[in-house]
Amino acid sequence: MALSFCGNDRGSNAYSVDKGVLDNGCFVDALNLVPHVFLLFITFPILFIGWGSQSSKVQIHHNTWLHFPGHSLRWILTFTLLFVHVCEIAEGIVSNTQMESNHLHLFMPALMGFIAATTSVVYYHNIETANFPKLLLALFIYWILAFITKMIKLWKFADASLGVQHLRFCITALLVVLYGLLMAVEINVIRVRKYVFFANPQKVKPAEDLQDLGVRFLQPFVNLLSKSTYWWMNPLIIGAHKRPIELKKIGKLPIAMRALTNYMRLKDSYEEQRQKTEDPDKSPSIWKSMYRAFGGSILLSSTLRYMADLLGFAGPLCISGIVEHLDNSTEIDRTNKTANMTFGVYFMSSTELLQNTSVLAVLLFLALVLQRTFLQASYYVTIETGINLRGALLAMIYNKILRLSTSNMSMGEMTLSQINNLVAIETNQLMWFLFLCPNLWAMPVQIIMGVILLYYLLGDSALIGAGVILLLAPVQYLIATKLADTQKSTLDYSTDRLKKTTEILKGIKLLKLYAWENIFCDRVEETRGKELTSLKTFALYTSMSIFMNAAIPIAAVLATFVTHAYIEEVRLSPAKAFASLALFHILVTPLFLLSTVVRFAVKALVSVQKLSEFLQSDELGDDSWRNTEMSMSLEVGKKYKHHGDTKTINRKGRYRMDNYEQPMRRQLRPTETEDVAVQVNDGFFTWGSNLSTLSDINIRIPTGQLTMIVGQVGCGKSSLLLAMLGEMQTISGKVYWSNKNRYSVAYAAQKSWLLNATVEENITFGSPFNKQRYKAVIDACSLQPDIDLLPFGDQTEIGERGINLSGGQRQRICVARALYQNTNIVFLDDPFSALDIHLSDHLMQEGILKFLQDDKRTVVLVTHKLQYLIHADWIIAMKDGSVLREGTLKDIQTHDVELYEHWKTLMNRQDQELEKETEMESQTTLERKTLRRAFYSREAKSQTDDEDEEEEVEEDDDDNMSTTTSRRSKIPWKMCCRYLSSGGFLMVFLMVLSKLAKHSVMVAIDYWLAAWTSSNPHNQSLADPFINATNYTKNDDTQIAEHRSYVPVFIILCGAAIALCLITSLTVEFLGVAAATNLHHNLLNKIIHAPIRFFDVTPLGQILNRFSADTNIIDQHIPQTLESLTRSTLLCLSAIGVIAFVTPAFLIALVPLTVAFYFIQKYFRVASKDLQDLDDSTQLPLLCYFSETAEGLTTIRAFRHEARFKQRMLELTDTNNTAYLFLSAANRWLEVRTDYLGAVIVLTAAVAAIWTSSQSGLVGLGLTYALTVTNYLNWVVRNLSDLEVQMAAVKKVNSFLSTESENYEGSMDVSQVPKDWPQHGEIKIQDLCVRYDTMLKPVLKHINAYINPGQKVGICGRTGSGKSSLSLAFFNMVDVFEGKIVIDGIDICKLPLQTLRSRLSIILQDPVLFSGSIRLNLDPECTCTDDRLWEALEIAQLKNMVKALPGGLDAVVTEGGENFSVGQRQLFCLARAFVRKSSILIMDEATASIDMATENILQKVVMTAFADRTVVTIAHRVHTILTADLVIVMKRGSIMEYGKPEILMEQEDSLFASFVKADM
């Protein structure tokens, strides 16, 4: 048949124009081609020239992007235009089949129109990015021409009295409207931009965000197509493959999404409500303010969601259409053809078009693509809104925290944990609620629509199926709430377990030395047992929830089809069966999610309640000084007899008060008022409850002088400072500040407060860095030695994420901060409390007297150290919340002799203590020592192979780029196997088996359904071609019986499927529990039995992480991910299998699809992992920052640094939000792509089925399965990447499982060791060499010594001389690689460790107590009688104290023994050593950290109670071993001197003698 434009049917003269040119339909169609061809001719050269010139340049950067007015509208109209063109082409082609010869004019112009429309949008996009509007003129002309030609066509149709009933008329009318609208858009651009026809065109700059090249989140600025497919994410996601995504790469947020912008939006609507309400007590509703601020986006998202849901129903309907019309030939009787001929061509109605299966297949494809696009867009909008809301809420909470009244914090109305919960939990709850809230109103509509459609397809029996679903929905809700409860209880147990684990790890050295590790290990195992019980419940509920989700649709389908077989007269056709099957699948998701959404809604209500309570809580009053309404008049000054300058005090003299008796003051005449910095008149202040804490305060702080505030503990000294700073509530009275002072106060609080930042940042605290000043401050606070110890000097991070400093070090940094600030007034609240005497003196002399006073700064100092009073220019003595005395020391000496004498006695006592303290090794040196130890072990850590670091190192080498790339995209199969094998092979086997069985049965059900519905009563075999399966009119009994004979098998299959669903969900979850049990058990045992060296080199935090975060992932997250992954993968595979079975042709199309899918998942997994890490790593600092601020409120407010802190908090929030936004955009990127792939699968399946014209039942089966693929493809990838992230936890745990254990066996059997060994306590050390690790140098070299039974031996030497290593060698805790220690004739290296360690006793330098009872701490094995324990306590002088405690021996010991003083703790350790009646006691520097009194007790006990035992004392201070029988002096790992102390003392040049001299 010839191809001719106008066709050449017999008898029609297609080319005649007798009736007038325009009355020839073919000519009108040809006319329609003109605009399209014109556009293509003009734009192609421009595009080619443009692209050619562009390719020489780099890609246009986004700072030139510009949107012309009506930008989005143009895209929407163009897309609609394209869709209408597709309809026009389809209509043309189908009409063409009705003609004798081919009429190209029916579809050719439409095809050209499609190409032209596509070109127009590409062209427009290029003009827009290059910002060259003049070229838009071509488009303008095109729209006008197209509009005119289509108008002519429509007018001619109307002439020929064709109307709405004809499809082509409707299409043409639509096109006229669209071209008209596009023309209007174009005119608008000309009107606004004035680029042509106007004298001066408008100059326009791109959006502010786009000019800022730091903004990398382009979603709001790209065009509609890129927006909906996330095309702009491509470079980021594909680039992640080459090198990891870092924070720099994701840049900053666009202005509209920043926390500050959203905070302003939320705050304005919140404040607006506050103004509107008359009732001041009623709090403004947060819901309303959220709606005001973010309602628009929620509405947009909901609209998109509705559109997606409605389009979702197109799937089942199209399937039903395709299956139904597959049998009816589309050839329509040619009889009615002539009736519909106008212009010599055929006009069809729209229903006719929809009966064409190919058209339906294309429609199905378009509907799927659109539905998925809308759905993802809706998700994205809600997520963006949720993130914006979270940012706004965080800023709101933070601003509120900065204004919280201190009384709230200290009276416990607002605890830190509450604030942390608000930040970490409540804001996230609200964010999640926003993510899910469109579901709240979309789902009911979806369910109702679904039920209506089912009813339309199946009649009454559909209602039964829907009823089943609705009845089971509450059960799901119930399970969901139960799940939440179980999770809570699991959390409690795991917190408890973590606490116990932490204790063990902190006291591991002691546990090993006492051979108690197994007892404490069992304590943890016991808690873990409870946790596992709870986890099993959790697993049970989770599997029930999964089971319900899988079983409900099966049950519903079963109920529906079985009742349909018995109720309805009409046979069930394949079309209806499979459409309803697809509908049931659609219905399940909303029902399953509804329970989750409802739960989140309930949680959100609670969260909002908490938030509004928090936002309503008390704030600080506006203080008068904020308005600086202060005029210190002379009158005020006259009331005070001012005293002259006291700068001439002799500061050099030893603190004696008697030095200056002579009066040095001249009385001032009233006119010479000296400045007063702060003054309080008649002040009554309170901490919230209306009882005043401070009453009747009248004081003044003289400018430029040193004022000291003294008094007993708790008399209100600190409160007085805070009252002056405006932190307390004023009942009455006034605080006056001189104008220039209030905004410059530096304040060091009593409880030191540090930021999580470097040491330098903590000291400069936002002031500019000045090297000289900084150096001076550090010297004054004697911080240099401490800084030298830190790994990176003053650039070391301290605080939660860095190094923990001791109290004294922290306090000195806080004082340094106050000194460094360039402020007029410095408030120091008891800066000496945590410092020893040398440091206090140094700080007083250098820091306060020299550094501050030389600058003439006003200093207010609260202190207990009365010996400094002689330096004070002004003294305020307080008692019980009011001022006792105020004046100079001289005044007090003359007027209040009693007080003065009292002070003098106190000072003498302090002096004696001082002398005592100088003898002791100062506390600071100790602190420095602990710090040094911490770093020693840290450096060693760098030698150990921490995998994470290893990976980083590998990634840094650019040479092996390709290898890293492949490694980053690999799935950790090895770890998966490791995890599964931990679960036990039986469970794995069961899981695999039941999973496969379940999916096979599911396929079988649907296959049976296909056989049943297309069965033919005369011939039941499926293989036969189905002969007109739908047109059944005969309705005799045999046929019905035949029809029903399929029911029993159907019921059996469904029952089996439901049972298998239950089995699979249970096996997966319990496999998870088994794996978790094993992994934790092995981890704990490995770590507890690891050699002590392991704990020196592995940071505690790292070990704890394995027990907290990683164990939690293994416990709760991996099983669910695994279940979801296997389910979605198997679903996709079974679907592809079924389609391939129905239409083998599909396999050809499968190859490119699989390749595409492989690359998508490969790129996504790598990028997703990086973004996930970024999200996690940016979240932590944000949470820490809140708690940090809440702790340091007073300091921040005193310094007046609120604005700086707010700024920092906004930055942290934005960083975290950026990471989170990118992560969710990446998820959308993936989902859009996998959804489109799914749509292509459906299209290919449908087309293949139509062309190979298979049996209708099977086609229905194939298409229903193809539809499920679209839902599950993205889950496969998401779960894969989740599993990959979660397997990292298994990997980390696994890395610890390979650590070597200590050798517990020994070469001797326990039975060979005498029961009472060691009886005498004789120790022989022969040629002993010891090292900590095979890699390290020996710490003890060839040591020989002999200790008689019952001798008291002292070992001394400088730090690092190997004293402690020797004590560890007795217990075989270190690697003895040469020589031996023989105790009572047995070589200790041969003994089993448990035996050896349980027979010796040791008292360690740091006292370690465990939480529990006193009994547990003295005798965890529970082998001793109470009398024995009381005896031990009596020897340690603790008996009376313990008796006084409630419960006696069963009295509670808190974590770390915090409820006893350090001295008492050390005495408990002594009692512990005594309880174990061993004949050898080793004391490792046991007196280093205790006061004189306790030390004396210790010495006495050792001499009396341990008189008959061998005692080896490792001495810190030599005078403790002067009474020993034998002294060993060590240096660098060898023995230098050995003998009786008296003899060694006599040798002038002996080391021992020099030690003793130095110690005196």
Side-chain angles (χ1 to χ4, degrees), residues 149-169:
T149 52
K150 278 280 179 269
M151 270 310 286
I152 293 173
K153 189 171 174 180
L154 190 67
W155 163 53
K156 281 296 157 204
F157 282 171
D159 258 5
S161 66
L162 289 167
V164 190
Q165 71 275 22
H166 298 291
L167 186 59
R168 196 171 310 159
F169 180 82

Side-chain angles (χ1 to χ4, degrees), residues 301-310 313 375 378-379 436-450 587 590-591 594 597:
S301 153
S302 304
T303 317
L304 288 167
R305 182 62 198 268
Y306 279 135
M307 284 157 76
D309 283 350
L310 291 178
F313 291 116
L375 191 63
S378 152
Y379 286 156
L436 295 171
C437 77
N439 293 337
L440 263 182
W441 34 88
M443 280 175 178
V445 175
Q446 202 177 353
I447 293 170
I448 291 165
M449 281 286 300
L587 277 185
L591 281 167
L594 207 54
V597 177

Side-chain angles (χ1 to χ4, degrees), residues 677-739:
V678 190
Q679 175 166 335
V680 183
N681 289 348
D682 307 326
F684 286 84
F685 302 97
T686 173
W687 283 123
S689 56
N690 286 324
L691 306 166
S692 53
T693 315
L694 299 176
S695 42
D696 195 18
I697 304 280
N698 284 298
I699 55 160
R700 57 195 198 83
I701 308 289
T703 305
Q705 300 201 353
L706 172 58
T707 306
M708 286 196 190
I709 305 181
V710 292
Q712 296 156 314
V713 178
C715 65
K717 304 185 293 297
S718 303
S719 301
L720 180 59
L721 286 188
L722 293 174
M724 291 194 276
L725 288 171
E727 292 283 330
M728 292 181 76
Q729 294 175 16
T730 315
I731 297 178
S732 63
K734 269 275 199 298
V735 179
Y736 296 106
W737 289 79
S738 62
N739 275 347

Side-chain angles (χ1 to χ4, degrees), residues 541-598:
Y541 285 129
T542 315
S543 51
M544 288 325 294
S545 155
I546 293 169
F547 161 67
M548 294 292 287
N549 206 23
I552 287 179
I554 303 176
V557 167
L558 176 68
T560 310
F561 289 154
V562 171
T563 44
H564 190 280
Y566 285 99
I567 300 176
E568 305 284 335
E569 294 295 303
V570 194
R571 292 264 334 277
L572 190 58
S573 68
K576 286 184 171 170
F578 286 107
S580 40
L581 201 62
L583 277 172
F584 275 122
H585 279 298
I586 288 180
L587 277 185
V588 171
T589 330
L591 281 167
F592 171 61
L593 268 178
L594 207 54
S595 61
T596 322
V597 177
V598 171

Side-chain angles (χ1 to χ4, degrees), residues 1232-1499:
V1232 165
R1233 273 153 193 66
T1234 49
D1235 287 343
Y1236 289 174
L1237 266 185
V1240 174
I1241 290 180
V1242 174
L1243 180 66
T1244 44
V1247 171
I1250 291 163
W1251 285 352
T1252 53
S1253 62
S1254 325
Q1255 307 147 339
S1256 54
L1258 289 180
V1259 172
L1261 178 69
L1263 287 179
T1264 313
Y1265 268 94
L1267 268 186
T1268 55
V1269 173
T1270 48
N1271 289 329
Y1272 288 107
L1273 269 180
N1274 65 54
W1275 281 111
V1276 174
V1277 186
R1278 288 279 289 279
N1279 289 325
L1280 247 186
S1281 68
D1282 282 352
L1283 193 66
E1284 195 177 4
V1285 172
Q1286 290 164 5
M1287 276 301 157
V1290 181
K1291 187 174 175 187
K1292 287 175 190 164
V1293 168
N1294 203 27
S1295 69
F1296 274 11
L1297 289 181
S1298 54
T1299 47
E1300 295 278 304
S1301 288
E1302 282 185 287
N1303 175 14
Y1304 274 83
E1305 265 61 66
S1307 51
M1308 280 175 76
D1309 195 48
V1310 184
S1311 53
Q1312 298 170 341
V1313 185
K1315 278 272 182 291
D1316 52 353
W1317 177 92
Q1319 310 86 323
H1320 314 296
E1322 168 201 47
I1323 303 174
K1324 284 192 210 135
I1325 302 175
Q1326 299 169 357
D1327 199 28
L1328 181 71
C1329 296
V1330 163
R1331 57 189 171 191
Y1332 275 100
D1333 194 58
T1334 43
M1335 316 289 292
L1336 301 176
K1337 294 196 200 83
V1339 280
L1340 296 180
K1341 302 163 201 137
H1342 306 291
I1343 289 196
N1344 288 292
Y1346 176 73
I1347 298 172
N1348 286 319
Q1351 262 192 334
K1352 306 286 175 279
V1353 183
I1355 304 179
C1356 60
R1358 292 238 155 79
T1359 308
S1361 61
K1363 311 186 295 286
S1364 297
S1365 309
L1366 184 58
S1367 70
L1368 291 178
F1370 285 126
F1371 290 86
N1372 203 356
M1373 294 275 279
V1374 282
D1375 180 16
V1376 177
F1377 66 99
E1378 255 181 69
K1380 53 184 177 179
I1381 300 180
V1382 179
I1383 299 182
D1384 279 0
I1386 295 180
D1387 177 356
I1388 60 165
C1389 292
K1390 293 187 177 142
L1391 284 169
L1393 284 182
Q1394 194 75 21
T1395 317
L1396 166 69
R1397 293 176 184 169
S1398 59
R1399 306 284 177 90
L1400 306 179
S1401 299
I1402 185 165
I1403 302 178
L1404 284 174
Q1405 179 179 1
D1406 308 313
V1408 180
L1409 292 185
F1410 300 98
S1411 61
S1413 60
I1414 292 179
R1415 185 192 303 277
L1416 175 96
N1417 274 292
L1418 295 182
D1419 173 35
E1421 292 145 308
C1422 300
T1423 48
C1424 302
T1425 57
D1426 279 14
D1427 303 341
R1428 174 92 167 272
L1429 297 180
W1430 281 116
E1431 181 193 1
L1433 286 173
E1434 191 170 8
I1435 288 176
Q1437 324 263 316
L1438 288 168
K1439 188 172 177 181
N1440 298 337
M1441 185 206 75
V1442 175
K1443 270 216 162 113
L1445 292 174
L1449 283 174
D1450 296 314
V1452 177
V1453 180
T1454 54
E1455 196 170 342
E1458 295 292 327
N1459 50 352
F1460 299 107
S1461 70
V1462 182
Q1464 285 170 327
R1465 278 184 253 169
Q1466 193 59 286
L1467 291 175
F1468 271 117
C1469 293
L1470 178 70
R1472 179 191 289 157
F1474 187 78
V1475 169
R1476 174 174 283 186
K1477 287 244 197 287
S1478 66
S1479 56
I1480 297 180
L1481 169 70
I1482 293 166
M1483 289 171 61
D1484 185 0
E1485 306 184 348
T1487 54
S1489 54
I1490 48 178
D1491 53 273
M1492 299 298 278
T1494 319
E1495 191 180 350
N1496 293 340
I1497 298 176
L1498 255 175
Q1499 294 297 336

Side-chain angles (χ1 to χ4, degrees), residues 253 257-260 1209-1219:
L253 282 178
M257 297 182 189
R258 290 187 191 158
L260 185 62
M1209 176 263 159
L1210 289 172
E1211 282 164 23
L1212 286 169
T1213 311
D1214 282 343
T1215 315
N1216 182 229
N1217 283 354
T1218 315

Side-chain angles (χ1 to χ4, degrees), residues 1013-1033:
T1013 49
S1014 19
S1015 71
N1016 192 324
H1018 312 300
N1019 166 344
Q1020 282 128 32
S1021 83
L1022 249 178
D1024 259 73
F1026 303 170
I1027 311 159
N1028 54 355
T1030 37
N1031 311 346
Y1032 265 112
T1033 41

